[in-house]
Amino acid sequence: MSSSEISLEYIAEGRAKRLISLAKLGIVADLIGDRAVIWNPDQGYEVFMAGFFGRPLGVRKPKMVKFNRPLELSIYDALYLLEKGIIKVRDISRSENFADAYLDPDELMRIGSESYKDFKAKYKVYKDLRDKGFIVRPGLKFGSDFSVYRYGPGIDHAPFLVTVYSKDTKLLGVDLVRAGRLANSVRKKWVIAVILEDGTIRYLVFSWYKL
């Protein structure tokens, strides 16, 4: 095992412990459209620092700097944290009685599936990468589903761009070239994540080869 792998494993273990410690805080996030917001800035900062989840409102490129504003979570972040028991998610549009507005993971999964194509498959990959200790951020600006860091924004650059495909997806050669060239132009490796029939995930990593 290389020193970089040991470092990632060590850091991931520390983040996991920090994340678990937040469960006792009773953190609530309000679902607004396809985002969830933690209004308490102190709680939001703790969640962000436990794994670079979400981003403080109004901050385009969040880093490891204390902020005093609400934290906005993607629906992927919110579902992962809800499943881990770190936060509760409340859909205040569902009922005037807040006690009836809390969502369970299945309900949030359904909402995500209504908002995003192939959400279940993409969330499965997101969760797998998170559980492996990687930092998973949106990859839309790079034309992918996720940009993936070893350590996090402001610490290192995301070395991987991950696009999720079902096993039935047909890719043209031009699709591979276009995605590969884009990834190479920003000095990243393009990764295809394919979910097989038995539910396992196969990662195919592409590197640009210049003849």
Side-chain angles (χ1 to χ4, degrees), residues 76 116-130 136-140 142-148 160-171 176 179 189-196 199-204 206:
Y76 295 99
Y116 295 95
K117 182 180 178 181
D118 296 330
F119 177 77
K120 289 184 179 180
K122 292 175 182 177
Y123 177 70
K124 185 179 181 71
V125 172
Y126 169 97
K127 182 178 181 179
D128 183 65
L129 291 169
R130 278 284 184 184
V136 187
R137 305 286 299 175
L140 183 60
F142 299 114
S144 63
D145 292 313
F146 306 115
S147 57
V148 179
F160 307 112
L161 299 178
V162 178
T163 303
V164 181
Y165 290 108
S166 71
K167 61 181 179 61
D168 299 320
T169 301
K170 293 182 179 179
L171 285 173
L176 296 174
K189 290 185 177 180
W190 181 44
V191 181
I192 290 179
V194 181
I195 300 178
L196 305 180
T200 59
I201 302 171
R202 177 75 56 83
Y203 294 100
L204 306 176
F206 293 81

Side-chain angles (χ1 to χ4, degrees), residues 27-28 158 198:
I27 300 171
V28 175
D198 62 0

Side-chain angles (χ1 to χ4, degrees), residues 35-49:
R35 296 287 188 269
V37 178
I38 298 174
W39 297 105
N40 184 307
D42 292 330
Q43 292 180 344
Y45 177 72
E46 290 300 322
V47 170
F48 176 77
M49 290 300 295

Side-chain angles (χ1 to χ4, degrees), residues 15 47-54 64 130 135 137 151-153 155:
R15 284 178 176 151
V47 170
F48 176 77
M49 290 300 295
F52 292 96
F53 293 97
M64 298 174 64
R130 278 284 184 184
I135 301 299
R137 305 286 299 175
Y151 306 113
I155 303 176

